[in-house]
Amino acid sequence: MAQTQLLNRQVARDMRDIEKMPVVPLKHRGRWVAAAVMILVAAGLCMSMVTNPRFQWDVVAKYMFDPSILSGLLTTVWLTIAAMTIGIVLGTLVALMRMSQNPVLESIANGYLWIFRGTPLLVQLIFWFNLSALYPQITVGFPIGPNLGTFDANTYITVYVAALLGLGLNEGAYMSEIVRSGLKSVPTGQSEAAEALGMSSFRVMFRVILPQAMKIIIPPTGNQLIGMLKTTSLVSVIALEELLYSAQLIYTANFQTIPLLIVASIWYLVLTTVLTIFQHYLERHFGRSDRRSVQSVAPCDDAPTAKGV
C-alpha cells in the first residue's frame, strides 16, 4: 500500500512538471509558403484584370443594369424556380414509384429515368421545341374511348413551355435519385414503429420518414438548384430571352462580346451566392436535431466523477 501511494505521488509530481513545461507550437513553414504563393497569384490576376483595358470595365458598368439584361435576369430566376419545382415534385413521385411494391409503377419509373438520364438535356430542349413536327395536333383522351380535347402544338408548345418541359422533366429524373437515397437512409424501424402505433402509410411517409430524410436530401438539392440556375443558359438555343441570350442579343449588335459576357457572369455569381447562403441556413434548420443531440451528450466540466472502488 505504501509503495502504491509513493508511486501515485511520483506520478502526480511528474504530471505537474509536464504541465509547467512550455508549449511550443508547430511551425508550419510549408503552409505559410503555399499561402504566400497563392496570395501572389491571386493579386497578380486581380491586377491584370484591373489594368487590362481590353476588359472594358466601363462598358461592363454601362450594361450591368440595362433593361434587357434585367429582363433576362428575371426570366432566368423564374425559369429556375419553376423548373426546380417541377423537378422536385416529379422526382418525389418517381422515387415513391421506384420504392413501390407495384411492378408496373416501378417499371414506368425506371423507363422514365432511362430516357431522361440517358439523353443530353440540350437534345431534349430541341426535341420539345420541335414537338409539332411529330404531333401537329395533340389529342388528350383514352386509347379506346372519348377524346377530351385536341390542341394545336404550335400554339401551346411555346418556347417557355418547351423550356419548362425540357428542364423540369430532366431535373425530375435526377431529383428522384436524390429523394430515394434520402428515404432509404431512414432506418426501417422508424416506419415499423409508426405503423405499430396505427399511423397510415401516408402519415408515416410525410410525418416520420420525410422529415428525417430531409437532412440527406437538402445538400444535393441545393447543388441541383445552383446547377439549374446555370443550366437555364441552355435555353438560349431555342431563342428564349434569359440572361445569357439577352447578353448575346446586345453583343451581336455592338460587338462588345467580352464585356457583355462579364456582365452575365457577374449576375450568375450574384444569384449563385444568394442561393448558397439560402442553402446554408436551410441545412442549419433541418440539422437542429443533430446539434441538440450533440449538446445533450456533451460532458459537463463540473460533473462529479465516479471513484474507483
Side-chain angles (χ1 to χ4, degrees):
M1 178 63 70
Q3 292 180 352
T4 303
Q5 292 177 351
L6 290 174
L7 181 60
N8 290 337
R9 283 197 293 268
Q10 181 64 35
V11 171
R13 285 195 297 268
D14 293 342
M15 292 298 296
R16 285 194 296 269
D17 293 339
I18 292 174
E19 292 176 355
K20 293 178 182 178
M21 294 176 63
V23 178
V24 180
L26 293 176
K27 297 180 180 180
H28 302 282
R29 294 184 177 86
R31 185 182 302 176
W32 288 105
V33 171
V37 171
M38 294 305 298
I39 290 174
L40 289 176
V41 172
L45 289 175
C46 292
M47 185 64 67
S48 67
M49 292 174 62
V50 172
T51 57
N52 190 345
R54 294 182 179 86
F55 279 93
Q56 297 178 283
W57 292 108
D58 55 334
V59 180
V60 173
K62 176 183 177 181
Y63 286 100
M64 274 297 296
F65 298 98
D66 186 84
S68 299
I69 295 294
L70 294 181
S71 176
L73 179 66
L74 291 177
T75 302
T76 295
V77 170
W78 80 257
L79 190 60
T80 301
I81 296 174
M84 277 303 299
T85 302
I86 295 173
I88 291 173
V89 173
L90 188 59
T92 303
L93 179 61
V94 173
L96 295 176
M97 290 172 63
R98 290 198 68 192
M99 297 174 63
S100 173
Q101 300 298 324
N102 190 325
V104 177
L105 295 179
E106 185 181 2
S107 300
I108 293 174
N110 288 330
Y112 168 80
L113 293 178
W114 176 67
I115 292 174
F116 287 96
R117 289 199 306 173
T119 55
L121 175 57
L122 185 60
V123 174
Q124 295 175 31
L125 286 169
I126 299 174
F127 177 85
W128 289 113
F129 182 66
N130 294 279
L131 184 64
S132 60
L134 291 177
Y135 297 99
Q137 301 292 327
I138 300 175
T139 302
V140 179
F142 302 93
I144 301 176
N147 294 329
L148 301 179
T150 301
F151 306 96
D152 182 48
N154 285 319
T155 302
Y156 291 96
I157 307 297
T158 62
V159 288
Y160 298 99
V161 175
L164 285 178
L165 286 173
L167 295 174
L169 293 176
N170 182 268
E171 185 62 31
Y174 292 95
M175 280 302 305
S176 67
E177 291 299 286
I178 294 175
V179 174
R180 189 173 69 91
S181 63
L183 296 178
K184 287 286 189 180
S185 67
V186 180
T188 56
Q190 299 285 330
S191 59
E192 293 173 355
E195 291 173 356
L197 294 174
M199 297 178 66
S200 63
S201 300
F202 181 84
R203 292 191 65 190
V204 170
M205 177 59 65
F206 288 93
R207 297 294 297 274
V208 178
I209 298 178
L210 195 56
Q212 298 182 69
M214 291 300 290
K215 294 183 293 184
I216 306 298
I217 295 174
I218 289 297
T221 302
N223 281 340
Q224 290 295 114
L225 178 60
I226 294 173
M228 176 61 70
L229 172 68
K230 295 175 289 186
T231 304
T232 54
S233 60
L234 290 179
V235 302
S236 60
V237 299
I238 58 175
L240 179 57
E241 293 188 27
E242 44 74 54
L243 178 58
L244 178 61
Y245 191 70
S246 298
Q248 288 175 333
L249 290 177
I250 297 176
Y251 73 63
T252 301
N254 61 11
F255 303 103
Q256 301 289 348
T257 303
I258 298 300
L260 268 301
L261 290 178
I262 293 175
V263 169
S265 300
I266 291 174
W267 278 118
Y268 279 122
L269 287 173
V270 170
L271 293 177
T272 301
T273 303
V274 172
L275 293 178
T276 302
I277 296 173
F278 173 73
Q279 177 187 351
H280 169 72
Y281 284 103
L282 195 61
E283 290 181 13
R284 285 187 58 183
H285 172 74
F286 284 100
R288 289 178 301 176
S289 60
D290 291 340
R291 293 196 299 271
R292 284 197 298 265
S293 62
V294 170
Q295 292 173 359
S296 63
V297 301
C300 184
D301 294 336
D302 54 356
T305 57
K307 296 182 179 180
V309 179

